[in-house]
Amino acid sequence: MNTTTDMQLVAVGKLIPYVNNARTHSPEQLTKLRSSLREFGFINPVIIDREFNVIAGHGRIAAAKEEGMEEVPCVFVDYLTEAQKKAYILADNRMALDPPRPLQLLRVPPRHRGQDQRGEPGGADGDAHHQGHAPGGRHGEGENRGLHG
């Protein structure tokens, strides 16, 4: 099985968008991508070939340009044939258009009363020792200041 091993920062001006890319990004999508870049940084690298042709990541590049970034992280994929590149581009675009997962699958499950953040006894109604509170006192009072003291 092949895998990518070479990742580099590449000047956005060197990157060549795929001419036949069927996917376009709305202003709303670009705004979301820009917000993600500001909040989390550029985590998901652009996928390119050795000639700097973009295989995946056109929207991230557009958002990075709008944010004033001069370089973006890129993964070089040099083992795909031209037919495989086109197939990957289509597959990547199709996956991006798949309907989102139901929200209940994406939510963090709520903690039950009496459990801490790890789901162990001692949370909201549990032992005050686990909450960082001294028995009978407010946060920061008494002998046991817990994790927050």
Side-chain angles (χ1 to χ4, degrees):
M1 177 183 301
N2 290 317
T3 187
T4 58
T5 59
D6 187 9
M7 187 173 82
Q8 297 177 21
L9 287 176
V10 176
V12 292
K14 288 180 83 170
L15 299 173
I16 303 166
Y18 180 59
V19 172
N20 296 319
N21 190 23
R23 177 130 193 253
T24 58
H25 295 83
S26 70
E28 293 82 16
Q29 289 171 317
L30 288 175
T31 297
K32 289 178 182 179
L33 288 168
R34 291 178 69 185
S35 295
S36 177
L37 289 176
R38 286 191 299 269
E39 177 73 20
F40 306 111
F42 208 118
I43 295 173
N44 190 7
V46 175
I47 302 171
I48 61 176
D49 65 16
R50 288 288 169 195
E51 289 76 41
F52 300 96
N53 294 301
V54 177
I55 298 170
H58 293 84
R60 293 187 301 278
I61 294 168
K65 285 180 180 179
E66 289 184 15
E67 286 296 306
M69 294 180 70
E70 296 179 8
E71 295 179 318
V72 294
C74 295
V75 171
F76 288 92
V77 177
D78 53 7
Y79 54 83
L80 296 177
T81 66
E82 288 304 314
Q84 286 176 319
K85 288 178 195 176
K86 289 177 184 178
Y88 185 88
I89 290 166
L90 289 173
D92 185 63
N93 285 339
R94 184 174 302 254
M95 285 186 284
L97 296 175
D98 280 347
R101 294 181 181 258
L103 290 179
Q104 62 268 25
L105 294 177
L106 300 176
R107 290 193 183 120
V108 176
R111 286 184 267 151
H112 297 289
R113 292 173 58 106
Q115 291 182 341
D116 67 7
Q117 292 177 355
R118 297 170 303 214
E120 295 178 4
D125 292 319
D127 182 356
H129 170 79
H130 286 89
Q131 297 178 33
H133 299 281
R138 294 183 316 207
H139 179 71
E141 293 180 351
E143 297 174 11
N144 183 359
R145 297 178 74 124
L147 297 174
H148 305 287

